[in-house]
Every structure is written in structure tokens, then in C-alpha cells.
Amino acid sequence: MRKIYYSLWADAINYERLKNGGESHWKAFTFTYMSIFLSLNILALLSAILFFTGYEITSQLKEQLEIYFSSELLINFFWALILLFIPSIVITYFCVFYKNKYEYILTNYKFKNGRWLLIYFCLTVIAFFGFSLLNKFL
């Protein structure tokens, strides 16, 4: 699993650096969009759990947030921040950018011309929209 994860990151970093001309700003762009993709994966996982079990595991957090905030917009914002964005940012930082781990990734994993990145993007979008639509209509 770690090999696939690091291969994906090597592909994403090299794609940003070589194909998009991001030699000077690849860290910020890659960190941002890979964190967003990971957030969508977390959301797809939560939707899959809801679809297969019928239990929303995040309902307790939402109830707690309703105590502190009366605005639905604020409740949804803090729910997304706590469950989606903070975990994905922390995972991304500590797995790739902490102590320049990306240097190890770039030296040990080959660039696949964006194939891993494209596959990851497609699977993320399909899982996110697929489970969301299944929960909405079934």
C-alpha cells in the first residue's frame, strides 16, 4: 500500500515540476490538490459506510456542533474542517513533506507521465460521486 501511495506522490510531484512548469512552486500546488483529493476520499469512505451500514458515524460531531452554532453554514464548515481537511492536511504533511520525505520518494519511485495521478483522480471522482448518488437515491 505504501508503495502505491509513494508512486502516486512521485508521479504527482514530477508531473507538477516537469509538465506544468512548477519547479519553484510545486510544493504548494501539489500539497493543496493532493490534500483536496484525500479529503474527497475520506468523504467517499464516509458515504460508503453510510451506504453499506445505514449508520452515519459523523452524526455525533454534527450534534455537538449544533450546540455551539446555530447557522447551518457554520456547522457544515466546521464539520468539513474537522473531518475532512485537517486530517488530510496532517496525513499529507507527515507522509510526504515532513523531514523532506519527498526527496526519498523522488529518488526511489519513477515518474509515470501522470498515469498514476490520472487513475487516482478518476477513482476519487467516481467513488465520491458514486457513493453520494447511491446514498441520495437509494
Side-chain angles (χ1 to χ4, degrees), residues 54-73:
Y55 178 67
E56 186 176 353
I57 60 175
T58 63
S59 61
Q60 291 177 344
L61 175 64
K62 203 160 197 167
E63 290 171 5
Q64 290 294 320
L65 289 172
E66 288 172 355
I67 293 171
Y68 297 108
F69 304 106
S70 60
S71 169
E72 189 70 25
L73 181 66

Side-chain angles (χ1 to χ4, degrees), residues 99-116:
K99 293 185 179 179
N100 296 329
K101 181 80 169 186
Y102 59 84
E103 292 173 358
Y104 166 80
I105 293 169
L106 291 174
T107 57
N108 292 315
Y109 296 93
K110 295 180 182 179
F111 179 44
K112 304 286 185 185
N113 285 330
R115 271 186 281 147
W116 279 104

Side-chain angles (χ1 to χ4, degrees), residues 44 46-52 130-138:
L46 292 172
S47 293
I49 291 170
L50 177 63
F51 177 73
F52 289 119
F131 282 114
S132 295
L133 290 173
L134 285 172
N135 282 325
K136 184 172 182 146
F137 294 119
L138 296 179

Side-chain angles (χ1 to χ4, degrees), residues 41 44 47 122-132:
N41 285 331
S47 293
C122 290
L123 289 176
T124 297
V125 169
I126 289 168
F128 171 69
F129 285 114
F131 282 114
S132 295

Side-chain angles (χ1 to χ4, degrees), residues 33-51:
Y33 71 74
M34 291 299 280
S35 294
I36 291 170
F37 286 157
L38 186 56
S39 295
L40 290 176
N41 285 331
I42 293 170
L43 191 58
L45 178 65
L46 292 172
S47 293
I49 291 170
L50 177 63
F51 177 73

